[in-house]
Amino acid sequence: MKRIFSSIIVLSLLGCSDSDNSETIDQKAGLVSDVRTLIEPYQLQGLSQHVANLPNIEQPIAQLGMQLFYAKSLSGNIDTACVSCHHPFLGGGDDLALPIGVDAVEQNLLGPGREHMPSAAHADGGPTVPRNAPSTFNIAFYNKVMFHDGRVESLDTQWALNGSNQSIRTPDSQFNTKDNVAGANLAAAQARFPVTSTEEMRGFNYAAGQSNQVLREQLTSRLKGETNELAHNEWFNAFLNGFEADINDVDINQLITFDNIAFALGEFQRSQILINSPWHNFVEGDDSALTEQQLQGAKLFYTSYENGGFNCASCHSGDFMTDESFHVIAMPQIGRGKGNGLTSDEDFGRFRETNEENDRFAFRTPHLTNIEVTFPYGHSGAFLTLEAVVKHHLNPALSIANYDPTTLQPGLQTNNWLANTEKALHQLTQLQAAGESKLQAVDYTEQQISAVVAFLKAQTDPCVKDQACMSKWVPTREQDVDNTQLVAEFN
Ligand code: HEC
Ligand code: HEC
């Protein structure tokens, strides 16, 4: 009762300023100038300056990439495609905390309702993939690292934004060592790996026990038509179109290679530029782009703890709102885990790559563009709402004490979630005590949380909520070249 009463007062206080219009305008102008001052040190310039170097979805190579992205023929048992977990209508993800790849009950059903076949290998009633599927939107703007633990990463010391990377390390090469066949950029390098994951695409019997490279060669042979797995097969034509090649100049062995498959997949994803958000317009100079509440949220986001803010930009920095670095923030550890720890359902995060003690339970700072539509959040998809994620950052211990994973996803593995999460929390506390964490617990009000959430919603490009606008990243039925195109169904 008391709570309701005080929020009525707050609302009416906010309402009051409406009665004096000029005061509101002054107040807003003040907020605009406060935010402009706060972001000055970050030298934000907006992301659009980099777009000229990126592929456009109309280009033949991106169209070929789209055909591959939707082709189940890139999975061992021809039952899963990239799009199974990264659909443009689902924010470039799958709307699930944790994905289900191969052996789904209904292959074409994406998002909530997608379940793992009870009779399949590794079936336990829950999701099979141990980490949340990040959005593919705007991945072109990552310069340094891909994946929650950065296991695909640039070794370059200078980054030409969305240009090419000279030197990329992947799980196929040793830590800190260049993978010589990684390809031209991080997206192409990343695209070599989903097919190799048993739970994501490979399946349990296709090229079992074979190296990643042998598996890729088998898939390439399949697309070339050397095996009789595809009854219908027009890939050669699709590759000729995609690479704008002349049939008299190239043969199929030069054209259909796994390097080319990965490159095209990368170009399709790099064409998913969705940056026309209110915040982007504000950064590019439009003072009227944000609401008062969003401006208040921006202030909290860009103000340090010492000055009464939430210090968010110390990690979510720059135009892409990420430092592309790794931090321990102790988000709940749910799901099967990555095979770490005594119970093997832990996920050591960046430590898995570096073996540095400080990296245990550290994960990459994700970018925040279109964050409104890329739920659930965190490396294990533990949070459904932005309110809950923001509160977690401001008081991880309290957030974990209040956390309840039981209704998040059918069959979700949660036996050891609390013990595992408390280990990460313990690690965070130790790092904080040693002065090695940028995260600090602070008091907050519900009003502040709403303001920060409003600011996060100002990162949304309206296109991502509009299926007609997004449909340019969905192939037509005529573009199905081997009758394995995934035509998505949603509950
Ligand atoms: C079964 C679900 C599933 C399928 C199928 C799948 N992915 Fe993913 N994808 C994920 C998950 C989970 C991650 C995060 C894994 C990690 O960080 O360890 C991921 C990560 C990524 C990333 C990195 C994004 C980032 O923010 O770093 C890209 C890019 C990507 N996938 C593209 C693809 C492509 C291309 C394919 C097809 C070749 C594909 N995915 C197939 C689930 C899937
Ligand atoms: C210490 C660095 C750090 C600070 C400070 C920080 N974050 Fe984060 N943030 C992260 C990391 C790391 C993750 C991913 C954690 C994981 O996956 O387990 C994350 C995840 C998120 C996510 C979920 C993104 C997704 O795609 O799942 C949101 C939203 C977010 N942060 C917003 C904020 C806001 C708002 C603030 C300020 C209140 C903030 N962050 C402060 C490092 C930070």
Side-chain angles (χ1 to χ4, degrees), residues 69 80-82 84-86 99-101 129 131-136 139 142 146-149 151 190-191 194-195 199-201 265 269 338 364:
F69 199 84
T80 315
C82 303
S84 303
C85 305
H86 299 286
I100 290 141
V129 176
R131 286 185 182 159
N132 179 260
S135 175
T136 51
I139 58 157
Y142 276 121
M146 292 250 156
F147 285 127
H148 295 294
D149 53 16
R151 65 189 183 277
Q190 193 284 335
V195 298
E199 275 84 8
E200 285 184 21
M201 292 180 81
L265 284 169
Q269 296 174 87
K338 287 289 281 185
R364 178 193 63 183

Side-chain angles (χ1 to χ4, degrees), residues 139-145 154 159-163 165 186 324:
I139 58 157
F141 299 111
Y142 276 121
N143 277 319
K144 302 185 197 168
V145 288
S154 173
W159 295 276
L161 196 59
N162 28 296
N165 294 88
L186 292 175
E324 296 196 52

Side-chain angles (χ1 to χ4, degrees), residues 476-491:
T476 61
R477 298 294 284 119
E478 287 69 50
Q479 286 178 292
D480 181 356
V481 293
D482 65 4
N483 292 342
T484 78
Q485 183 187 82
L486 193 146
V487 181
E489 292 157 22
F490 306 101
N491 260 346

Side-chain angles (χ1 to χ4, degrees), residues 102-372:
V102 302
D103 297 332
V105 176
E106 290 175 70
Q107 292 173 12
N108 299 346
L109 177 65
L110 310 190
R114 186 174 175 87
E115 283 179 24
H116 192 208
M117 243 177 332
S119 58
H122 286 202
D124 66 358
T128 40
V129 176
R131 286 185 182 159
N132 179 260
S135 175
T136 51
F137 301 168
N138 295 339
I139 58 157
F141 299 111
Y142 276 121
N143 277 319
K144 302 185 197 168
V145 288
M146 292 250 156
F147 285 127
H148 295 294
D149 53 16
R151 65 189 183 277
V152 167
E153 60 188 313
S154 173
L155 302 175
D156 299 353
T157 46
Q158 294 200 321
W159 295 276
L161 196 59
N162 28 296
S164 54
N165 294 88
Q166 303 301 317
S167 185
I168 297 173
R169 177 254 156 171
T170 75
D172 279 348
S173 60
Q174 296 290 314
F175 187 64
N176 255 331
T177 309
K178 178 177 178 177
D179 176 346
N180 288 320
V181 294
N185 54 56
L186 292 175
Q190 193 284 335
R192 304 175 69 78
F193 292 91
V195 298
T196 68
S197 154
T198 319
E199 275 84 8
E200 285 184 21
M201 292 180 81
R202 182 187 212 133
F204 291 86
N205 42 30
Y206 190 80
Q210 300 290 345
S211 71
N212 288 349
Q213 202 50 34
V214 168
L215 165 87
R216 293 180 188 121
E217 276 156 24
Q218 290 195 17
L219 291 172
T220 309
S221 302
R222 177 191 282 172
L223 264 52
K224 284 198 280 191
E226 290 170 358
T227 65
N228 50 14
E229 296 163 287
L230 301 173
H232 180 79
N233 186 344
E234 294 171 47
W235 281 114
F236 188 35
N237 245 331
F239 274 74
L240 284 168
N241 291 336
F243 283 89
E244 299 175 80
D246 189 318
I247 194 159
N248 299 311
D249 298 337
V250 288
D251 73 26
I252 192 166
N253 296 318
Q254 292 167 292
L255 202 52
I256 304 189
T257 63
F258 202 84
D259 292 354
N260 281 351
I261 292 171
F263 178 72
L265 284 169
E267 293 304 278
F268 167 64
Q269 296 174 87
R270 277 155 40 91
S271 78
Q272 297 182 332
I273 312 291
L274 292 146
I275 58 174
N276 290 322
S277 66
W279 175 247
H280 189 260
N281 295 339
F282 180 86
V283 168
E284 297 207 325
D286 178 359
D287 282 347
S288 68
L290 300 188
T291 66
E292 256 187 66
Q293 193 188 31
Q294 289 169 337
L295 287 163
Q296 260 142 6
K299 276 182 78 169
L300 290 164
F301 193 93
Y302 285 98
T303 303
S304 66
Y305 294 128
E306 301 79 68
N307 294 324
F310 289 166
N311 207 36
C312 311
S314 69
C315 299
H316 297 281
S317 56
D319 281 312
F320 199 34
M321 306 179 103
T322 167
D323 55 6
E324 296 196 52
S325 187
F326 304 87
H327 304 275
V328 178
I329 71 165
M331 281 205 182
Q333 181 55 51
I334 54 175
R336 293 184 166 195
K338 287 289 281 185
N340 295 134
L342 283 177
T343 45
S344 78
D345 53 6
E346 289 187 62
D347 184 341
F348 289 165
R350 183 64 175 163
F351 176 86
R352 293 166 51 82
E353 305 304 308
T354 63
N355 279 308
E356 299 262 356
E357 207 41 57
N358 279 3
D359 288 336
R360 199 183 287 269
F361 308 118
F363 292 90
R364 178 193 63 183
T365 310
H367 74 86
L368 300 177
T369 63
N370 302 304
I371 191 73
E372 181 182 5

